[in-house]
Structures are given as C-alpha cells and as structure tokens.
Amino acid sequence: MFNARDRRSFKTEDAGDSKPESQKLNFYDRPPRHDVTLEEFEICALNRLRILAEIESSLARNRSWEEMKTQTTQQCKNYLPLDTEEDRKQDHVSHYVLRLAFCRSEDLRRRFIKAEGILFRTRFDEVLKADREQLLDSQRLHWLKVEETEKQNHRNELYSLYPPIKPEDVRNTSFNRDTYYKVRWTRVPDLIEKRKVFLSGGWAYVPGREQSSIIFQEFEDRLARALELTARSLPRLDEDSRLVPILDNLSNGFVAGVSSEWSSSTEGKNGEITAEMVDHHARNDFPMCMRTLHEQLRKDHHLKHFGRLQYGLFLKVLGLPIEESIVFWRKSFDRITDDKFNKEYKYNIRHSFGLEGKRANYPAKSCQQILSPGPSEHGCPYRHYSPENLQTALLANYSSQGLTSADLPEVVALVKSGHFHVACTRVFEITHASCGIKKGDGVGGFESVTHPNQYAARSIELRKGDIKKEGT
C-alpha cells in the first residue's frame, strides 16, 4: 500500500452525485472520483488488458461471434466480474487507466475502441433487462421515437425490411405495435451496411429489435472522442516517472498479449527434465524463439551472455534443475576447458537459480519481453525475421510435425498484421493437430501463446498424453 503522496485521484467537476459503479453497464462518461493506489492502478488495468488482448486474438483468428462471446464472458468472470460495487469500481478504474495507455497513437486508439466495443456488447447481451434499462435511463442517446402517423406513411418500406407475423396483412396489430426510432444515418453504419434500416431525408428508421446497434455505435463514438481528448492531456503525465513505465508496459500488452502467470511456482510442472532430454524437447516442443537459441548453441557450441540468460531461465522454469543445468551447459560448451567453464560460466548459472549473489529466483522472459529486446538480446522470430526468412525457418523447424507450405500464407498474414503471438499460436495448433488440437483451440481453453514456457509445457503435456494413448 502506498501513502498519500503515492496516490492519484481521478476527479471531475461536473460528475454529479450518482455513482457510475452502481450499474453493471457503463458508458464510462465520468471518471472515477476515489483515490487509487499505484498497485491498484496497475493490477486493475492488467486484468482488463487480459480480456481485451484475448478479444484481439479472437478477431485475428476469425472466431465466430458466439465463440468470442463465450471466451470473453469467461475471461470477465475470471478477471473483471461485475457482481459487487467493489468489482464495478475496479472495472471503472481499469477502463480509465487503459485510456491513458492506448490514447497515444491512432492505431492504438482504433484497436482499443474495437476491443472495448466487443466487451461492452458481450456484457450487454449477458446482463438482465433491468440492467439495460438502467443504462438507457442514465444516458441521452438522442433518438426520436417514430410516431404512428409517420410509421404508417412509410409502412411499405418498413414492412419490406421487417415483415409482421402475417405477411398478408400489413396493417395487423403486430406491425402497428412495433416501435421504431429515428437517428441520423451516420450513427448506424453497421445496419446500413447490412441493409437493415430504411433511409429517408438523412434519417435512419431503426426498429426496436435493432435498438442495441444504436447503443453500441454510440458507445464507440463517445469513446473515440474521449480518447482524443485524453491524448491532448497526456503530456502532463510525463513529469511522473512512476506512471509512464506502467502505461508503456500496458500498451505493449496488445502486441504480445498479457503474459500468463509463469513464475517460479510453475517450475517443473511437467516433471524434472534432464540434460539428455533437452535436444528431444527442442525438436518437438519448443517455440521458435527457443528453438533458434538451441540451434545456435549446437552450431557454435556457445551463446553470448543474454542468449544464455534467456535460454537458461526458460529451461529452468521448464523443469531443468540446477545439477542438470550445469551438465547441459558444460556439454554444450565442449570447446573450452573445465577450468574456464567453472571460472566464467558456472557462477552465472547458479546465480540464475538464486544460489549466488542476491539469491533472487529470476523468472523466464515472457513473449512481451522477447518482442521488445534490449541491445544484444534475442528477439521474437515472428517479429524480427523477414517474411522470406521466417517461412524458411518455419519449414525447417516444423515440417516434420505437420506444417506445410500451404500453411505459411496464413501465418505470414498474421505476422504482417502485427499479431505475432497469434501467429505463434497458429503454428502450435498446426503442429499439434495429431494430439487433437484444432484451429481455434490455442494452447488450451482457447488461450493464445503469451509465454515460451506456456508453449513448451503444454506441448510436453499433450505429447505425453499421446504416448500414453499409443501404449494402451
């Protein structure tokens, strides 16, 4: 917990006395007014980012609306439920924190609006009718109810779009009772595209059953305007060295997804790995970033410092214990003497396990960290290889596991659109089809790859199950 000096308050002069967190559906038109600690600031935002990153992944993978809604609903239950007022406060804060993170470029704003729009639509479909009515009562949506006389004047046009239950009678009570709203045609582009509304004099006549489209479009339009205003105010935050790094980390989360909780608590999840097993797992279970490091190690009998650190921590978390790690690296560095190895490398291996120095148990690098490497560090092949080199490397590494040249256009298209972790996930699905993984399954539970250890551990788990089936 931080003291008063470490707190930041969101305030607005015209917010009124009502509490936005009192309702489940929120247009986020008034900022939170309570104090927020830096810890809450970051945790709330990360929880929301997990949901939005999964929505982006679903869009990139062309999942159906029902699949996306099911996955989004489950993610909301896990990370941002709306059951209590405290839950809704966190939801409210998380939205405003991500506004700060994603207002800084046109591309980030566009992606944020799209993902937030889908999240809002999912919640709108899931909540009770009373929650929807509470939202509508609290908003001015500027639509006009079509009077009966005007409706009858356009009955043929309206009827052609939405016929009543009895087609032979355009004047039956079902038609007359139907409610229509008039809005400016620019507010319902999705309905116009689908030819679901009648247009006249710049007005779109929207039936009550399509009312939600007006609400969804209004939500996105307001958010777009709010993000532009936030972007103009953002330079004032540059003086606060605590917030800017948090916001930078959050905005990078859309590129790589939010990392799974792979920490020291997950080490050895699939059982202990020996030095002799690493070659086998590298050929069959490693993502391309780690395969690349392994192949470089085998070719040169050496890796530079950052390569050793990245690959060594990956193997540690995967289940290679300290004794086997020393054996593995000694055999890999077979062109140097024992004395040189002990003096120059053994200490660093022990240090990464928390046995030397400050004795910290270092975690393995996530996809987000690998996607944005520092000087001399090894990055993500999907991001840093040219399309030609990437395709060559994919076939060289994964053709024996079922990946063919016919799969490459889909993977490259994902890379070109900036969805690097989704491209890696698609390769995982293709190369594990023999284990029962289908397109859209991800690494399990529809999750995308967000960490090299997540990829490798899931692969080992699947192949163990496949071996057991063959033995029965």
Side-chain angles (χ1 to χ4, degrees):
M1 184 67 69
F2 292 82
N3 59 33
R5 185 172 59 84
D6 290 315
R7 291 175 178 266
R8 286 293 177 271
S9 298
F10 297 98
K11 296 187 182 295
T12 179
E13 294 180 359
D14 57 352
D17 295 327
S18 62
K19 296 180 179 179
E21 60 267 18
S22 64
Q23 54 193 58
K24 288 188 174 182
L25 292 175
N26 197 337
F27 264 36
Y28 306 104
D29 46 1
R30 286 173 294 184
R33 304 180 68 188
H34 57 281
D35 290 342
V36 178
T37 67
L38 285 177
E39 183 180 13
E40 293 167 336
F41 184 94
E42 184 170 19
I43 291 175
C44 290
L46 282 171
N47 285 338
R48 191 181 201 89
L49 188 59
R50 285 186 170 91
I51 299 171
L52 300 188
E54 190 58 40
I55 289 173
E56 265 236 329
S57 175
S58 294
L59 289 170
R61 297 165 74 181
N62 295 314
R63 285 178 176 153
S64 69
W65 166 246
E66 288 303 320
E67 289 175 331
M68 188 186 305
K69 187 169 80 168
T70 299
Q71 180 68 1
T72 303
T73 300
Q74 185 58 51
Q75 291 284 85
C76 286
K77 289 178 181 178
N78 293 339
Y79 298 112
L80 276 182
L82 300 174
D83 300 326
T84 66
E85 184 170 314
E86 187 59 35
D87 289 339
R88 295 190 284 274
K89 276 186 178 181
Q90 293 185 15
D91 173 75
H92 199 192
V93 169
S94 69
H95 173 86
Y96 271 87
V97 175
L98 291 190
R99 276 194 191 183
L100 295 173
F102 295 111
C103 71
R104 294 181 286 179
S105 74
E106 184 177 348
D107 179 60
L108 284 175
R109 290 195 293 269
R110 176 184 57 78
R111 294 166 70 174
F112 182 64
I113 291 167
K114 182 71 172 177
E116 279 283 341
I118 291 174
L119 174 58
F120 178 82
R121 180 181 172 187
T122 299
R123 287 173 164 176
F124 191 90
D125 286 355
E126 292 295 315
V127 299
L128 299 174
K129 181 180 179 182
D131 295 310
R132 298 176 194 169
E133 292 176 348
Q134 185 181 20
L135 172 71
L136 299 182
D137 290 342
S138 68
Q139 300 296 324
R140 297 178 182 177
L141 296 177
H142 304 292
W143 54 39
L144 299 174
K145 188 175 180 180
V146 178
E147 299 298 332
E148 191 63 33
T149 302
E150 187 176 7
K151 188 168 69 172
Q152 289 300 327
N153 289 340
H154 297 297
R155 68 179 185 271
N156 290 331
E157 292 88 349
L158 298 177
Y159 167 66
S160 67
L161 292 170
Y162 290 95
I165 297 174
K166 297 179 180 179
E168 68 274 12
D169 183 10
V170 297
R171 294 180 180 273
N172 67 38
T173 56
S174 175
F175 175 77
N176 290 336
R177 281 202 312 266
D178 207 355
T179 303
Y180 285 81
Y181 299 91
K182 283 198 309 185
V183 296
R184 287 299 178 185
W185 69 272
T186 53
R187 292 180 59 190
V188 285
D190 57 326
L191 294 180
I192 292 173
E193 182 183 6
K194 297 174 183 176
R195 299 174 183 258
K196 287 190 173 183
V197 292
F198 166 60
L199 300 177
S200 178
W203 293 95
Y205 289 72
V206 182
R209 69 195 80 173
E210 299 290 350
Q211 186 185 40
S212 58
S213 291
I214 306 175
I215 299 169
F216 300 152
Q217 189 62 45
E218 182 70 14
F219 176 86
E220 294 188 8
D221 289 345
R222 291 190 188 185
L223 181 55
R225 293 192 294 270
L227 286 171
E228 290 176 1
L229 289 173
T230 305
R232 289 200 286 269
S233 302
L234 194 64
R236 301 174 192 171
L237 286 178
D238 288 344
E239 62 189 33
D240 195 323
S241 59
R242 295 167 299 174
L243 296 185
V244 173
I246 295 175
L247 298 177
D248 288 340
N249 184 56
L250 291 170
S251 60
N252 288 334
F254 252 175
V255 178
V258 182
S259 176
S260 303
E261 298 301 321
W262 289 92
S263 63
S264 57
S265 63
T266 64
E267 291 179 25
K269 180 181 177 183
N270 293 91
E272 186 173 296
I273 295 174
T274 66
E276 296 297 328
M277 296 165 63
V278 174
D279 280 337
H280 168 79
H281 287 308
R283 288 192 302 271
N284 295 283
D285 302 306
F286 287 5
M288 190 142 77
C289 55
M290 296 304 152
R291 286 195 183 207
T292 302
L293 286 171
H294 185 81
E295 290 303 315
Q296 185 177 340
L297 176 62
R298 287 291 175 253
K299 177 184 175 183
D300 299 335
H301 301 265
H302 189 267
L303 279 178
K304 292 183 179 179
H305 172 73
F306 286 110
R308 295 197 305 273
L309 180 62
Q310 184 171 313
Y311 192 42
L313 291 173
F314 165 79
L315 292 173
K316 180 191 80 165
V317 173
L318 196 63
L320 188 70
I322 178 63
E323 299 82 5
E324 291 295 323
S325 184
I326 293 173
V327 172
F328 170 76
W329 288 106
R330 180 65 193 99
K331 287 185 175 180
S332 299
F333 288 11
D334 57 3
R335 294 180 178 176
I336 62 174
T337 64
D338 287 340
D339 185 59
K340 183 178 177 65
F341 178 81
N342 291 332
K343 287 181 178 179
E344 298 184 15
Y345 300 105
K346 190 173 181 179
Y347 175 88
N348 288 333
I349 297 170
R350 289 176 54 80
H351 188 277
S352 67
F353 276 79
L355 300 176
E356 301 288 355
K358 65 178 182 180
R359 301 185 182 276
N361 193 10
Y362 298 97
K365 287 184 176 291
S366 68
C367 291
Q368 185 170 330
Q369 294 169 306
I370 294 172
L371 277 163
S372 303
S376 303
E377 291 184 314
H378 294 261
C380 171
Y382 294 96
R383 182 170 193 172
H384 297 104
Y385 282 17
S386 69
E388 295 76 18
N389 288 344
L390 176 63
Q391 293 178 75
T392 301
L394 284 170
L395 288 175
N397 282 288
Y398 296 107
S399 58
S400 62
Q401 293 174 252
L403 186 137
T404 68
S405 56
D407 299 311
L408 297 179
E410 181 184 5
V411 176
V412 172
L414 289 168
V415 169
K416 288 182 176 179
S417 64
H419 298 291
F420 309 110
H421 68 298
V422 181
C424 185
T425 303
R426 185 66 190 117
V427 170
F428 180 93
E429 292 170 343
I430 294 168
T431 56
H432 292 79
S434 62
C435 302
I437 296 295
K438 302 184 294 296
K439 184 175 182 178
D441 286 349
V443 291
F446 304 108
E447 288 188 9
S448 299
V449 175
T450 58
H451 200 294
N453 284 94
Q454 174 197 25
Y455 184 115
R458 179 60 174 154
S459 177
I460 293 171
E461 180 185 346
L462 286 169
R463 297 198 192 285
K464 279 184 177 178
D466 215 31
I467 292 171
K468 286 181 181 178
K469 287 180 183 177
E470 292 177 4
T472 56

